[in-house]
Amino acid sequence: MSLCLMLCPVCSAVVSGVCFLLLRLYISVLVNAFGFQELLQEFKNFMMALKRVLVVNKSYPDAGLKLLKTKLEPTIIPYLDSDPESLPEIKKNISNGFDALVWNTKHRLTGEILDLAGPRLKAVTTMASGIDHIDVDELVKRGLPLGNTLNVLDDAVADITVGLVIGAARRFKEGIKELESGEWKFGVQWSLGQDIARSTVGIVGLGGVGQAVVRRLKGFDVAKFIYSGRTDKPEAKALGAERVPLEQLLKESDFVILCCPLSEETKHLINAKSLQIMKSTAVLVNIGRGGLIDQKALYDALKEGQIFAAGLDVTTPEPLPKDDPLISLPNCFIMPHLGSATVDTRNAMACIAANNILLALENKPMLNPVV
């Protein structure tokens, strides 16, 4: 080819023709040797190998990283969300030219960051089910596909939900504290909790997690399941769950379990007014997002005995400062967002995120497309 280029000023037409014939001959030989489909796949693999993906948090599991490395060149930001260098390093690196982005962080993906990424960026995925930390409108504006890892974490989160229901209702936090401080008391009236059997359980958001929670709690002889949401769920009939307005759910439920996503519509869904509707013996459980609850109103309600207890796997902010008033309450059982934190679940989430990117860069639908 270099010889052709040198001769072009003298006889460009002839040389171009010869080069074209040689190229056709070369391709013909390859097709005969490997077959058209195999050659096409090799070409695709070659093109993919030139593409780069930025993973913005170093905690991304190896299972997903190995998948990305089969066809892409990954760059990993070597920090956790809690490290002060995290967001500055993301902004610094993203402008280096990447075709895809694994947004496995709680930092918000904004128009500013997408501007830094520039026009080379072709696909984005989270490693979570929620997308409240993503400015979806900015992605739509740029025509960028977005994927998430919906459904794969349903079982793990449902397990944690049941744990919070039991832990809050049976006063685990108080009992453990008294045990550790040597204040273990005896007596038939000591540390009495609430029964799950014969109770009414209200699920706010009967999606994948909500349905998995109902399936698990059926084994606890719950008397009635009710749920609220924007639409009827076809799965509700088989689960024996009845759709009711939110106010009725709050009024009738012994356990109110928040499984809905955070949006402008659901922000502070549980507030001073809604807490007043609930039973004084009710237990509130949140495995959705911290912003679903007005935490100041929740603190007041728990402090004054307006509701019996709360079990939270999510808070605002995260991590919750150790001096946050909610932590001081004996009837507020808080876990540090462990919902999907099992080895198998996190590996599966990482693999779905990786496949979202690999498929999008081949102009195919993501496994879990959002937009």
Side-chain angles (χ1 to χ4, degrees):
M1 183 63 72
S2 59
L3 177 61
C4 291
L5 291 175
M6 288 187 292
L7 291 175
C8 277
V10 180
C11 196
S12 60
V14 173
V15 173
S16 296
V18 171
C19 288
F20 179 70
L21 289 172
L22 289 173
L23 179 61
R24 285 188 62 181
L25 178 62
Y26 178 66
I27 292 173
S28 177
V29 170
L30 288 176
V31 169
N32 289 331
F34 299 105
F36 179 76
Q37 290 300 326
E38 290 80 3
L39 180 61
L40 183 61
Q41 187 58 50
E42 285 301 316
F43 178 73
K44 285 183 177 180
N45 291 343
F46 173 74
M47 293 303 294
M48 288 288 286
L50 300 178
K51 295 182 179 179
R52 306 176 66 215
V53 56
L54 180 65
V55 180
V56 299
N57 187 307
K58 72 175 185 178
S59 64
Y60 189 65
D62 284 342
L65 192 58
K66 287 177 182 176
L67 267 178
L68 290 175
K69 285 180 176 178
T70 59
K71 295 184 178 180
L72 302 174
E73 179 189 340
T75 297
I76 303 173
I77 300 296
Y79 297 105
L80 300 172
D81 286 356
S82 55
D83 296 328
E85 302 92 341
S86 173
L87 189 56
E89 280 297 311
I90 292 171
K91 291 181 177 180
K92 176 183 173 183
N93 279 271
I94 203 169
S95 59
N96 291 335
F98 290 94
D99 302 278
L101 189 58
V102 176
W103 197 256
N104 59 328
T105 175
K106 293 184 183 301
H107 299 310
R108 185 163 177 77
L109 180 55
T110 62
E112 175 203 355
I113 293 173
L114 291 170
D115 285 340
L116 291 172
R120 180 170 172 176
L121 187 66
K122 294 296 183 287
V124 179
T125 187
T126 68
M127 204 192 93
S129 59
I131 55 170
D132 49 287
H133 61 313
I134 307 287
D135 192 331
V136 177
D137 290 341
E138 290 291 338
L139 289 171
V140 171
K141 186 192 303 182
R142 293 165 171 80
L144 293 172
L146 171 66
N148 67 358
T149 59
L150 196 64
N151 300 326
V152 69
L153 45 71
D154 290 354
D155 287 332
V157 176
D159 291 347
I160 281 286
T161 306
V162 174
L164 286 168
V165 167
I166 298 170
R170 299 300 299 273
R171 301 169 68 170
F172 277 18
K173 182 178 180 180
E174 295 169 81
I176 292 169
K177 184 176 180 182
E178 290 177 1
L179 172 65
E180 292 177 343
S181 63
E183 297 177 10
W184 183 344
K185 304 178 183 69
F186 294 94
V188 295
Q189 294 298 319
W190 176 62
S191 201
L192 301 183
Q194 303 295 330
D195 284 307
I196 301 174
R198 300 170 298 282
S199 69
T200 295
V201 173
I203 308 287
V204 182
L206 194 67
V209 173
Q211 292 168 32
V213 170
V214 172
R215 289 195 296 270
R216 283 155 174 75
L217 289 179
K218 277 182 171 293
F220 287 79
D221 296 327
V222 170
K224 185 179 182 182
F225 290 102
I226 56 180
Y227 76 98
S228 67
R230 290 176 296 180
T231 59
D232 289 328
K233 290 290 185 178
E235 301 87 354
K237 185 176 180 180
L239 291 169
E242 177 191 356
R243 184 177 174 227
V244 300
L246 178 62
E247 185 171 340
Q248 181 181 340
L249 182 146
L250 295 173
K251 188 180 297 184
E252 295 181 5
S253 297
D254 299 295
F255 296 89
V256 175
I257 304 176
L258 305 180
C259 300
C260 56
L262 178 63
S263 65
E264 288 299 321
E265 182 184 355
T266 60
K267 184 177 181 180
H268 288 183
L269 187 71
I270 300 299
N271 50 47
K273 183 179 178 181
S274 52
L275 286 161
Q276 288 171 0
I277 300 172
M278 294 172 63
K279 296 179 179 181
S280 61
T281 54
V283 175
L284 174 66
V285 171
N286 186 13
I287 54 84
R289 285 291 184 267
L292 296 173
I293 297 178
D294 179 344
Q295 290 180 182
K296 172 63 168 63
L298 177 62
Y299 173 83
D300 293 339
L302 290 169
K303 184 78 172 174
E304 296 165 10
Q306 196 172 316
I307 65 171
F308 183 77
L312 311 176
D313 187 46
V314 288
T315 59
T316 302
E318 291 182 0
L320 194 66
K322 63 180 182 180
D323 58 352
D324 188 280
L326 282 175
I327 294 177
S328 68
L329 294 174
N331 56 344
C332 192
F333 183 40
I334 304 174
M335 301 187 74
H337 204 152
L338 297 178
S340 62
T342 71
V343 173
D344 286 349
T345 301
R346 290 286 168 85
N347 282 342
M349 291 166 71
C351 289
I352 289 174
N355 278 311
N356 280 342
I357 292 301
L358 292 170
L359 288 167
L361 292 181
E362 292 181 338
N363 295 313
K364 297 176 182 177
M366 291 182 170
L367 285 181
N368 283 330
V370 178
V371 294

